[in-house]
Amino acid sequence: MTQQLPDFSGPVRHWFTGAFEAPTPAQSEAWAAIGSGDHALVVAPTGSGKTLAAFLSALDGLLTGPVPDPAERCRVLYVSPLKALAVDVERNLRSPLVGVGQAASALGRTVNDVRVGVRTGDTPAQERRRLGTHPPDILITTPESLYLVLTSAAREGLRGLGTVIVDEIHALAGSKRGAHLALSLERLDALLPRPAQRVGLSATVRPVATVAGYLAGARPPVDGGRPVRVVQPPSTKELRVDVVVPVADLTDPDGTDGTAPDLSGDAAGPASPRHSVWPHLTRRVLDLVAAHRSTIVFTNSRRGAERLTAQLNEMWAADQGATGTDAGGTWAAQVPGQSGTAVPVEDEVARAHHGSMSREERTRTESALKSGTLRAVVATSSLELGIDMGAVDLVVQVGAPPSVASTLQRIGRAGHQVGAVSAGVVLPTHRGELLPAAVAARRSQEGLIEEVRPPANPLDVLAQQVVAMLAVEDRTVAELTALVRRAAPFTTLGERSLEAVLDMLAGRYPSEDFAELRPRIVWDRLSGHLSARPGALRLAVTSGGTIPDRGQYGVFLASTGTGEVAARGGRRVGELDEEMV
């Protein structure tokens, strides 16, 4: 093992050999690529140790290397597409940090104190200010929060960065959100004495070359550019996906075979009961949950997650009342692999998990599932990307999966350990979902995921980032053009397109219909100098990010006070998207 970890310090090697049997192929190849100084794109199945592979080299330097000046303390930036994933990574970093510290003590050595900070939309304002004035060694954030940091005085705390880790890069590269992040990464590199080394992580990506180009950007070697080394060892991950119809006939869920009377109209009296697949589907999901240790149930909407959670808990409570709490009841079935152990009876069998919930509620649900006190979580895509949910041994997908890539991601939450089997069950809810579900299951097992196509030159994203850049620093047109074209989605940006964007931002509109729009920048066309107008900074930080798929509505506790405080409402508890509202 020592020969397999030649570049790590003694405490790190001591901890790793005590915690793991051996590095995975993805880890060994990733450490070689990262150690070479090149950018690295690591493509490997879930449970192959990609996140640790990306962090361990940086952690070794942070723990055992020289302590930098406090103003340049932040040296590792981790960018996550999800707030929940960012918090999960921060929690999972505690194990190696504590473990290496204990290994150093056993070897009679000391290591540096490494601080980890999380900066997302859930971070309280007081904590954000503290991170800005006292940068952590490792900053975990999202694309939108990185943009806000770069558009504020807190960007000074990033000048010591050496490594940028972009997790689940496939979820970003093919969207305008990814184009927005690409420009933010180039703005970040412009702050640094030398562009940071970038490490991209993904379990599902195709084509690899396109995403590698997105990760690296178009900075030439003479200007600090680095080649990208792709780490993609042969996959040995076993994926088992079963498509199961919850009823014998999806067109006739109750098995009436069309013999039920067709009562309609006012003269028919009360409406006849609606024939629905949901009672049967809920029962099938509950049976699967009862037969496994921990289960994640994915739905395709937040409303569906809340609805199914309520139905599962209602059916669970009814079965508890019918069978009692003794070991002979239906839900005292034995867990596979734990002979003689009865499943305990809980007050609730499932909880919902989605992006509209508050950070505290999501964390409570995740912790309950990991600790084994909760049998199931009904989630949307909030648990799809990379979150380690412990010993989950089954994933249930209700309805056809949104894509083949999401099928791999979601089923991969089960057996999220090296060598474990990822098992999943897909339950179509109507006939129209049966064929898409079967195709997604087949293609996911063959690795035939959708291709990523980064958008080319999204000018709305460019306009927003230009205002943000000029709000913190004046630039010339030549400097701005060079920076923008280093980002992969904008390498083909033409002069006329860029000038059109600058004209619009400077108040030169194509007709009088736009005369009421306020200019945001000043463009001196003789000197090529660009600067921001008053109010541009406020606009940049209040309108950051790309347009989401759904509108979001804040949820606040109703205030019982009086006066101005009552008018503003009570404490914020989360968000609801427009579908649920």
Side-chain angles (χ1 to χ4, degrees):
M1 172 66 74
T2 302
Q3 288 73 23
Q4 296 179 7
L5 302 170
D7 298 328
F8 294 139
S9 64
V12 171
R13 290 200 304 270
H14 190 273
W15 168 76
F16 191 93
T17 55
F20 303 98
E21 182 178 349
T24 65
Q27 290 174 333
S28 298
E29 295 183 31
W31 290 329
I34 295 170
S36 70
D38 296 338
H39 297 313
L41 175 61
V42 184
V43 182
T46 56
S48 56
K50 295 187 300 296
T51 306
L52 181 60
F55 270 110
L56 196 57
S57 294
L59 286 177
D60 191 25
L62 295 175
L63 289 163
T64 62
V67 179
D69 183 90
E72 298 182 350
R73 180 164 182 171
C74 187
R75 285 163 288 169
V76 180
L77 177 70
Y78 171 89
V79 182
S80 159
L82 292 178
K83 293 183 289 187
L85 179 54
V87 175
D88 185 72
V89 168
E90 185 268 340
R91 186 165 48 230
N92 290 340
L93 279 177
R94 297 173 191 166
S95 175
L97 288 174
V98 172
V100 173
Q102 294 174 344
S105 299
L107 296 173
R109 298 174 59 178
T110 59
V111 293
N112 303 324
D113 178 35
V114 173
R115 290 194 297 111
V116 180
V118 179
R119 170 63 159 87
T120 69
D122 288 335
T123 306
Q126 182 179 359
E127 177 66 13
R128 296 181 194 177
R129 289 191 293 270
R130 190 182 71 82
L131 292 174
T133 55
H134 298 84
D137 298 276
I138 301 172
L139 178 61
I140 298 173
T141 188
T142 60
E144 292 73 25
S145 291
L146 173 60
Y147 163 85
L148 293 175
V149 171
L150 292 170
T151 317
S152 69
R155 67 186 182 280
E156 296 299 324
L158 302 179
R159 291 189 181 272
L161 274 175
T163 303
V164 176
I165 301 171
V166 183
D167 203 355
E168 304 295 350
I169 192 171
H170 70 278
L172 296 167
S175 66
K176 285 188 178 182
R177 192 183 183 205
H180 193 275
L181 173 63
L183 282 174
S184 292
L185 292 178
E186 295 305 328
R187 292 175 60 191
L188 173 63
D189 278 349
L191 285 174
L192 308 178
R194 183 171 185 264
Q197 181 183 24
R198 301 177 186 178
V199 180
L201 306 177
S202 179
T204 54
V205 64
R206 187 170 71 101
V208 173
T210 299
V211 179
Y214 166 82
L215 176 67
R219 183 184 289 269
V222 295
D223 192 23
R226 313 179 195 220
V228 181
R229 292 183 58 176
V230 176
V231 175
Q232 192 177 19
S235 174
T236 58
K237 183 73 173 181
E238 183 179 349
L239 189 74
R240 188 173 69 248
V241 186
D242 298 322
V243 179
V244 178
V245 180
V247 293
D249 185 353
L250 285 171
T251 63
D252 185 26
D254 292 329
T256 59
D257 195 24
T259 58
D262 182 15
L263 301 177
S264 60
D266 295 336
S272 59
R274 292 181 60 189
H275 301 293
S276 172
V277 73
W278 281 97
H280 307 278
L281 186 143
T282 304
R283 169 59 65 187
R284 179 61 64 94
V285 172
L286 198 53
D287 288 343
L288 291 170
V289 169
H292 294 82
R293 237 181 348 262
S294 294
T295 304
I296 298 180
V297 182
F298 283 103
T299 65
N300 295 332
S301 69
R302 300 177 184 184
R303 179 174 58 185
E306 294 281 0
R307 173 187 179 184
L308 182 57
T309 301
Q311 292 175 343
L312 285 171
N313 286 327
E314 288 174 4
M315 189 172 290
W316 169 262
D319 287 331
Q320 276 188 314
T323 62
T325 58
D326 61 287
T330 303
W331 303 113
Q334 293 180 354
V335 177
Q338 298 182 3
S339 177
T341 303
V343 175
V345 176
E346 303 93 350
D347 294 333
E348 58 182 1
V349 71
R351 292 181 192 164
H353 187 290
H354 52 72
S356 294
M357 301 170 64
S358 66
R359 174 184 178 181
E360 293 77 11
E361 185 63 22
R362 289 198 310 266
T363 302
R364 187 171 76 95
T365 299
E366 294 166 15
S367 300
L369 187 68
K370 288 184 178 182
S371 65
T373 59
L374 181 66
R375 297 293 298 274
V377 168
V378 184
T380 59
S381 57
S382 58
L383 287 181
E384 179 178 313
L385 299 177
I387 297 179
D388 180 10
M389 292 306 295
V392 173
D393 51 354
L394 181 70
V395 166
V396 178
Q397 166 67 44
V398 175
S403 65
V404 179
S406 68
T407 305
L408 276 171
Q409 289 287 343
R410 295 182 178 191
I411 303 302
R413 298 306 102 209
H416 197 236
Q417 299 90 22
V418 176
V421 176
S422 293
V425 175
V426 180
L427 299 174
T429 61
H430 56 82
R431 284 195 305 172
E433 290 183 332
L434 184 56
L435 183 58
V439 171
R442 177 68 176 270
R443 290 179 68 90
S444 65
Q445 291 177 311
E446 297 174 351
L448 300 177
I449 61 176
E450 298 82 3
E451 291 190 3
V452 173
R453 294 184 176 90
N457 306 317
L459 299 184
D460 52 345
V461 171
L462 175 62
Q464 183 186 116
Q465 287 278 15
V466 167
V467 173
M469 284 187 272
L470 298 180
V472 297
E473 183 182 359
D474 293 355
R475 298 178 186 271
T476 66
V477 174
E479 291 171 343
L480 181 70
T481 303
L483 186 151
V484 168
R485 287 178 176 167
R486 291 178 191 137
F490 296 93
T491 55
T492 60
L493 181 67
E495 295 285 348
R496 294 183 62 182
S497 296
L498 178 59
E499 288 181 6
V501 170
L502 295 178
D503 274 339
M504 178 194 69
L505 295 176
R508 188 176 182 179
Y509 304 124
S511 72
E512 294 182 357
D513 296 338
F514 300 92
E516 295 182 0
L517 295 179
R518 182 184 303 175
R520 303 302 179 184
I521 67 173
V522 176
W523 180 11
D524 186 338
R525 287 170 170 79
L526 293 178
S527 64
H529 184 265
L530 298 168
S531 60
R533 288 180 178 268
L537 180 60
R538 178 182 295 273
L539 177 69
V541 299
T542 56
S543 305
T546 54
I547 299 174
D549 294 335
R550 297 187 178 99
Q552 301 292 320
Y553 295 81
V555 180
F556 302 84
L557 290 176
S559 175
T560 57
T562 59
E564 183 181 356
V565 174
R568 290 199 305 265
R571 183 171 65 89
R572 182 184 179 92
V573 295
E575 292 179 332
L576 290 177
D577 66 11
E578 62 186 27
E579 178 193 19
M580 293 195 70
V581 172

